[in-house]
Amino acid sequence: MSSTTSADMDGLAARRLDLAAPAALDDADARAARRFDVAAILALALVVIAGRAPYFDTFDFMGKDGPLYVNALKLDASFNVPMPGNIGYVLLGKLANAFWAEPVTAFLAVNVGLTIVGAAFAYLFGTLVVSRPLAAAAALAMTCNPMVWWHGGAIASYPVWLAVLPAIGWFGLRYQREGRTGDLIGVSLALGIGTILRPDLLAFGGPLWAGSLLLGRASIRQWLIGGAIVAACCCCWFFGTAWILGGVDVYLGRVEAKHEGDKAGFSLFGRGLFEGLLRNMVKYGLFLAWGSILAIPPFVVGLAKVLRPSNWRELLLATLWVGPSWAFSFLIFAGNAGLIFPFLPLLYLGAAIGFRTLAGERRAFAAMTILALLGALQYTQTRLLPQHNQRDVILNVTFLRYSGAGITQRYNFNLDDFDVSPALADVRRQMKNPGPIPGTPELLPGQVLPR
């Protein structure tokens, strides 16, 4: 078969039945599938690059953590990026800095690259569940989510989650179904490299890795191989970061201080059910709704479609995929928009299944493409509000800054920069009856407040 035709893809689509393992392809279909995979991943990469490039900026304080990451490129005792260190993300920035002299541009290039990797693995994972065209449309819609798009223009390491968890999921589900050694090594390397980039992936991705090996009935020898790969990677980030900081005790002290700071902020344990659990759940829900709200109804339909006993293995893996990040977000801290990233690949894949259930394969593809277009319009056309009162500030900080206008206007503020209370009760009161803005943040060169 010399080319990938629409009929070929229709044939491949018919072989994807919910979450069941797909039927084996003959040689011609396998070649067509590989060609489609390459074309889809290249197209996703080009869309990501084209969408992010116009919003690249070079002021040194791009994002709240920007100055810390730029300083961290020195790799000396002043290393102070968010604990537990994210040493691999800094090293990627240093590598990119060899090609882009401006460190901010280098880090933004890293985030664009991570988004491409995330889109590629979200697509590949989707091909294990739905047709290839529908998997491509779901991955495209995910990359056009304004939260994902915005993080291609700010220095923050959250796109690591978007890149690594779908990779663990793809290798892990293939290992569960086929038991191949290559997938065992792949899922272990995905987790191990992910922990180097962001050590918290040991907690966020470790359960998914372990569940994949358990459901794949890994032998003791295979557990030892996979565990050795992950352990070797963990030694790299742990002792590497400790060496930079000046000792293991210094490093562990930094990690403990960060953990205690998160708990003391808005955790269930520090603030109770209302200002802890409820506030975190509401804030996570607001972050998720910005750019994803139209995907949630079809996701619910898709979830209802696959909630059946025969899919218990895949449903368990999905729970292991998102459960750790949800537990952290709800119980400890939901202050960062990037915390929704672990869920987004499954959200858009579930939406694709839901649309297919409601309207069939072709209409589902069109619906996911429309979702992508609406996400792009939301990111490019959203405008910041003139800030006349606290409600304007709350809306800008919570939603509207996660847009192209937020990047180009260098809107880099949190509520406390305006002395606006982040407490749930206070925010509700200000949304109903807004009062004057208590304070004015310190502006950086080139920054202006929206008027």
Side-chain angles (χ1 to χ4, degrees), residues 156-228:
S157 59
Y158 306 119
V160 171
W161 292 332
L162 195 71
V164 173
L165 284 166
I168 298 174
W170 183 62
F171 284 116
L173 186 54
R174 295 206 319 171
Y175 177 75
Q176 174 196 323
R177 290 175 174 177
E178 302 172 23
R180 293 187 300 190
T181 301
D183 290 321
L184 167 71
I185 294 173
V187 70
S188 301
L189 281 175
L191 174 60
I193 294 172
T195 64
I196 294 175
L197 297 173
R198 274 192 71 108
D200 58 13
L201 267 161
L202 190 61
F204 282 16
L208 179 57
W209 170 82
S212 299
L213 267 62
L214 184 65
L215 293 176
R217 299 181 179 180
S219 65
I220 294 178
R221 176 176 175 272
Q222 291 171 323
W223 275 100
L224 291 174
I225 291 172

Side-chain angles (χ1 to χ4, degrees), residues 252-266:
L252 292 178
R254 294 275 193 93
V255 174
E256 179 66 18
K258 177 64 167 63
H259 179 62
E260 291 301 322
D262 287 344
K263 285 176 60 178
F266 284 94

